[in-house]
């Protein structure tokens, strides 16, 4: 590391943007052989991994099989999963779990037994979900953080927000390569240069593009947007998974109301107290997640109401306290006694199934740039992610990327110079209200027009809005110093455009993409792949002047 007058300049072997399960797994897998920097937007334990309640799907039982797990995933993906990616992930699932156990993750065991307790979730034909009570993400994330803190070769930078990737000419080919990133130190209010032989994007998904989401504030699609701007293809951005029941309260940002309430007899009601699921599906409240989410969305739009209500108050208080102590306690914090009154709920954006196109080693279209976890598009999830395959993907692809990086790291040189960040012609903003207004408008029209149910007219409206918004954001970005909020807004606008374009291109209803204008599934399953004008795999003529 060395200082310049304007900024700091850091040099590492590998720069990891993101500190969730994927990013920390990769860092730990490299730590014995490389110097690694890990960037965190806020604190290292913030992010979607920490809040994951479910478990990790893996073939761990003798009654289960790799073929069964593969088959279940292919069915859930509605014909769009890449079978090679699914098989690669599942075949490495047991080794991934064993590695986590070696790191110290305390998974739940059977009562009075040394065997691990496996549960079964929607779409799975066997019990194959290994978990740590109902807080698996926290157990995994906290363990990985502890391990990272013990590694002298891993340097963690909290409150550091990546702005843009740095690309330079590659001396060994006619293409560009990624050599680092411009990074905002949000506490020092300064943009620094992080240079590295290899850059890995592990920034999570983009669910914050929607008004209601189960994700933390950090899920703003940063890695997807940066990779797109750098010339990488993205795929299947129209497939956004929505959880049916998220607590609707102005102070409750992202608390999910578990589906187990409906499993134990809770009813969904309109504001007037009427049940609506029985007239929409014979399975009523026990219909699959996507059907329940669409039904709630339909009633909210039809009535113009803010939310619907999930009611379990007809059960005894003792039953509710015994089975749902966490939900009861959390709702009481907001003045809602679920033993006496219904819970206001809305569907919430939950998972981004598309992302940056990668291969089985996590390699993107740009040389020396990798993407792993929810940021990437591996082909595993298809048109609908099957429960508990997401954390598995994080571990498997992080380890695969690490193996590929280690194989070539010694052959990669570091450029002698790196372009510096120039903010000499910008000034401090005196109207940050513009950012908050644009942020709110973006998330509202994405929810209304590009949400659970789409139409051609809604997508046209969204297209018009996003063009106007991007013009305003680009002007603002060009004239004022960057801030965390501005960086996230810019990235969200890019991701919103990608989602809208992808939804426009899919003339069918499949998996998580439901269109009233095209309600049937096409007999031919195709990915939606968007190619940027500066596609990184094209030959770049390098000037020798």
């Amino acid at each position: 590391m060395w200082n310049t007058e304007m900024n700091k300049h850091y040099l590492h072997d590998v720069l990891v943007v993101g500190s969730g399960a994927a990013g920390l797994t990769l860092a730990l897998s490299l730590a014995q052989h490389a110097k690694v920097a890990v960037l965190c937007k806020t604190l290292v334990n913030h992010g979607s991994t920490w809040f994951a309640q479910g478990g990790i799907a893996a073939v761990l039982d003798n009654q289960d099989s790799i073929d069964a797990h593969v088959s279940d995933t292919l069915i859930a993906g509605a014909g769009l999963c890449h079978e090679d990616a699914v098989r690669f992930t599942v075949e490495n699932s047991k080794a991934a779990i064993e590695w986590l156990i070696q790191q110290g993750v305390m998974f739940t065991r059977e009562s009075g037994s040394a065997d691990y307790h496996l549960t079964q979730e929607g779409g799975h034909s066997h019990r194959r979900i290994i978990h740590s009570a109902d807080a698996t993400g926290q157990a995994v994330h906290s363990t990985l953080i502890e391990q990272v803190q013990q590694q002298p070769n891993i340097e963690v930078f909290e409150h550091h927000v990546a702005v843009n990737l740095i690309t330079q000419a590659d001396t060994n080919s006619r293409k560009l390569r990624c050599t680092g990133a411009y990074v905002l130190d949000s506490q020092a209010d300064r943009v620094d240069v992080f240079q590295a032989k290899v850059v890995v994007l592990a920034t999570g998904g983009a669910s914050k593009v929607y008004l209601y989401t189960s994700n933390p504030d950090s899920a703003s699609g940063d890695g997807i947007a940066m990779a797109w701007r750098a010339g990488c293809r993205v795929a299947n951005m129209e497939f956004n998974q929505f959880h049916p029941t998220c607590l609707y309260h102005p102070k409750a940002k992202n608390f999910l109301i578990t589906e187990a309430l409906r499993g134990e007899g809770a009813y969904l009601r309109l504001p007037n107290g009427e049940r609506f699921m029985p007239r929409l599906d014979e399975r009523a409240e026990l219909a699959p997640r996507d059907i329940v989410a669409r039904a709630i969305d339909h009633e909210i739009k039809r009535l113009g109401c803010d939310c619907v209500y999930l009611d379990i108050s007809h059960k005894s208080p003792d039953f509710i306290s015994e089975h749902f102590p966490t939900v009861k306690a959390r709702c009481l914090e907001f003045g809602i006694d679920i033993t006496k009154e219904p819970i206001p709920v809305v569907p919430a954006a939950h998972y981004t199934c598309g992302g940056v196109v990668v291969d089985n080693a996590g390699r993107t279209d740009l040389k020396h740039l990798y993407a792993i976890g929810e940021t990437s598009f591996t082909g595993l999830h298809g048109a609908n992610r099957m429960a508990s395959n997401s954390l598995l993907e994080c571990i498997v692809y992080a380890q695969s990327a690490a193996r590929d990086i280690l194989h070539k790291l010694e052959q990669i040189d570091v450029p002698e110079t790196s372009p510096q960040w120039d903010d000499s012609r910008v000034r401090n903003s005196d109207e940050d209200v513009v950012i908050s207004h644009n942020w709110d408008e973006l998330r509202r029209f994405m929810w209304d027009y590009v949400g659970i149910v789409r139409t051609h007219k809604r997508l046209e409206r969204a297209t018009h809005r996003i063009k106007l918004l991007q013009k305003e954001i680009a002007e603002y970005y060009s004239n004022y110093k960057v801030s965390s909020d501005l960086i996230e807004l810019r990235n969200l606008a890019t991701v919103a455009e990608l989602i809208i374009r992808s939804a426009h291109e899919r003339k069918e209803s499949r998996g998580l993409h439901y269109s009233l204008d095209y309600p049937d599934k096409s007999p031919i399953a195709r990915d939606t792949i968007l190619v940027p004008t500066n596609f990184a795999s094209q030959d770049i003529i390098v000037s020798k002047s």
Side-chain angles (χ1 to χ4, degrees):
M1 183 190 80
W2 61 92
N3 290 310
T4 69
E5 254 184 73
M6 298 300 296
N7 54 34
K8 290 185 177 180
H9 195 133
Y10 298 86
L11 178 62
H12 295 83
D13 293 317
V14 180
L15 173 63
V16 182
V17 187
S19 58
L24 295 188
T25 296
L26 182 131
L28 287 169
S29 300
L30 296 174
Q32 300 303 314
H33 309 281
K35 292 183 178 180
V36 184
V38 177
L39 303 184
C40 319
K41 288 174 73 172
T42 52
L43 300 175
V44 69
N45 63 346
H46 285 193
S48 296
T49 296
W50 189 272
F51 296 102
Q53 298 177 12
I56 307 174
V59 179
L60 303 170
D61 188 88
N62 292 333
Q63 303 300 313
D64 197 4
S65 70
I66 289 174
D67 285 342
H69 191 171
V70 169
S71 177
D72 292 343
T73 302
L74 293 175
I75 292 170
L80 271 187
C81 295
H82 295 193
E83 187 168 354
D84 60 336
V86 176
R87 189 163 293 277
F88 172 77
T89 307
V90 174
E91 286 177 347
N92 287 281
S93 63
K94 185 175 182 180
I97 299 301
E98 290 174 345
W99 181 82
L100 287 172
I101 293 171
Q102 290 170 5
Q103 303 309 305
V105 177
M106 302 294 290
F107 291 110
T108 299
R109 297 182 184 271
E110 293 280 6
S111 180
S113 170
D115 295 333
Y116 289 104
H117 179 264
L118 302 177
T119 189
Q120 188 170 349
E121 293 180 342
H124 292 275
S125 58
H126 291 78
R127 285 185 173 270
R128 63 168 69 103
I129 314 301
I130 190 169
H131 61 101
S132 182
D134 62 353
T136 305
Q138 184 174 335
V140 169
H141 204 182
S142 60
T143 300
L144 296 180
I145 292 170
E146 289 175 9
Q147 292 297 321
V148 163
Q149 290 171 339
Q150 298 175 29
Q151 297 293 333
N153 269 357
I154 301 177
E155 193 172 1
V156 177
F157 295 83
E158 295 184 323
H159 302 288
H160 279 67
V161 185
V163 183
N164 268 336
L165 297 173
I166 299 173
T167 58
Q168 294 178 262
D170 181 33
T171 56
N172 298 317
S173 73
R174 295 165 63 85
K175 298 179 181 179
L176 293 179
R177 56 174 278 195
C178 185
T179 61
Y182 298 115
V183 179
L184 172 68
D185 180 339
S186 57
Q187 291 188 318
D189 194 24
R190 178 191 64 235
V191 175
D192 297 328
V193 174
F194 278 73
Q195 199 172 359
K197 295 180 177 181
V198 170
V199 177
V200 183
L201 299 173
T203 61
S207 289
K208 204 66 183 177
V209 76
Y210 289 102
L211 181 61
Y212 303 115
T213 175
S214 64
N215 289 190
D217 288 342
S218 57
S220 51
D222 301 329
I224 297 171
M226 286 190 292
W228 173 259
R229 289 196 294 267
C232 296
R233 293 170 299 160
V234 299
N236 288 6
M237 290 299 293
E238 70 270 36
F239 296 113
N240 305 276
Q241 192 173 69
F242 290 82
H243 193 286
T245 53
C246 185
L247 177 61
Y248 178 75
H249 190 279
K251 294 184 180 179
K253 281 189 173 182
N254 46 33
F255 183 68
L256 288 183
I257 305 298
T258 173
E259 293 181 45
L261 266 82
R262 285 182 282 125
E264 294 294 344
Y267 298 136
L268 282 163
R269 300 185 186 276
L270 298 176
N272 65 3
E274 174 193 347
R275 287 181 66 194
F276 58 91
M277 283 306 302
R279 60 179 163 81
L280 299 174
D281 192 285
E282 61 183 11
R283 293 161 292 188
E285 281 81 7
L286 297 181
R289 179 183 290 182
D290 59 334
I291 292 175
V292 177
R294 282 201 297 270
I296 295 173
D297 178 77
H298 172 76
E299 294 301 322
I300 288 175
K301 283 186 169 66
R302 181 177 70 88
L303 297 173
C305 55
D306 293 326
C307 63
V308 296
Y309 295 85
L310 186 64
D311 186 10
I312 198 169
S313 63
H314 50 278
K315 295 285 187 177
S316 73
D318 289 342
F319 176 88
I320 295 171
S321 297
E322 179 183 353
H323 286 78
F324 306 110
T326 303
V327 175
K328 179 185 176 184
R330 182 65 170 158
C331 287
L332 279 174
E333 292 178 17
F334 301 106
I336 303 166
D337 184 351
I338 68 173
T339 67
K340 299 177 181 178
E341 58 189 322
I343 308 166
V345 294
V346 291
H350 190 53
Y351 192 85
T352 305
C353 289
V356 183
V357 175
V358 299
D359 61 12
N360 279 355
R363 291 175 293 213
T364 72
D365 294 319
L366 181 59
K367 194 172 184 180
H368 302 160
L369 177 68
Y370 293 71
I372 53 177
E374 196 175 349
T375 303
S376 67
F377 168 76
T378 63
L380 171 64
H381 304 304
N384 190 9
R385 175 184 69 95
M386 191 167 70
S388 293
N389 270 351
S390 50
L391 280 176
L392 175 63
E393 181 185 42
C394 287
I395 309 302
V396 169
Y397 277 84
Q399 293 180 332
S400 179
R403 289 191 294 269
D404 191 73
I405 291 169
L406 287 175
H407 178 70
K408 61 182 65 169
L409 198 59
E410 288 188 3
Q411 284 76 48
I412 302 174
D413 64 314
V414 179
E416 293 182 3
T417 60
S418 183
Q420 298 300 303
W421 179 261
D422 182 10
D423 60 1
S424 59
R425 289 175 290 181
V426 298
R427 59 189 185 277
N428 290 319
S429 169
D430 58 357
E431 290 185 344
D432 280 353
V433 68
V434 173
I435 297 176
S436 61
H437 282 189
N438 285 351
W439 176 288
D440 183 67
E441 181 185 351
L442 171 67
R443 298 176 67 210
R444 284 185 182 276
F445 78 66
M446 285 297 292
W447 180 261
D448 291 337
Y449 301 149
V450 203
I452 297 168
V453 177
R454 288 117 185 223
T455 67
H456 178 74
K457 183 180 291 186
R458 290 175 186 172
L459 293 177
E460 285 292 326
R461 287 172 177 165
T463 300
H464 177 68
R465 294 286 187 89
I466 195 61
K467 286 180 179 178
L468 292 175
L469 210 55
Q470 284 187 313
K471 184 178 179 180
E472 286 186 19
I473 294 169
E475 182 180 355
Y476 199 92
Y477 180 81
S478 300
N479 290 292
Y480 298 104
K481 288 186 176 181
V482 296
S483 64
S484 297
D485 287 343
L486 177 57
I487 293 167
E488 289 188 341
L489 174 63
R490 180 175 179 242
N491 290 335
L492 280 174
T494 298
V495 170
E497 180 199 1
L498 297 174
I499 293 172
I500 296 165
R501 285 178 56 183
S502 299
H504 254 307
E505 290 196 15
R506 187 163 295 281
K507 309 300 184 185
E508 63 165 347
S509 289
R510 181 186 296 271
L512 300 168
H513 173 78
Y514 187 81
S515 171
L516 292 177
D517 296 313
Y518 304 96
D520 299 322
K521 183 189 294 184
S522 170
I524 301 174
R526 292 191 179 95
D527 292 322
T528 304
I529 299 177
L530 302 182
V531 182
T533 54
N534 58 333
F535 183 35
S537 284
Q538 298 181 59
D539 283 347
I540 306 296
I541 303 301
V542 179
S543 172
K544 295 183 179 180
S545 58

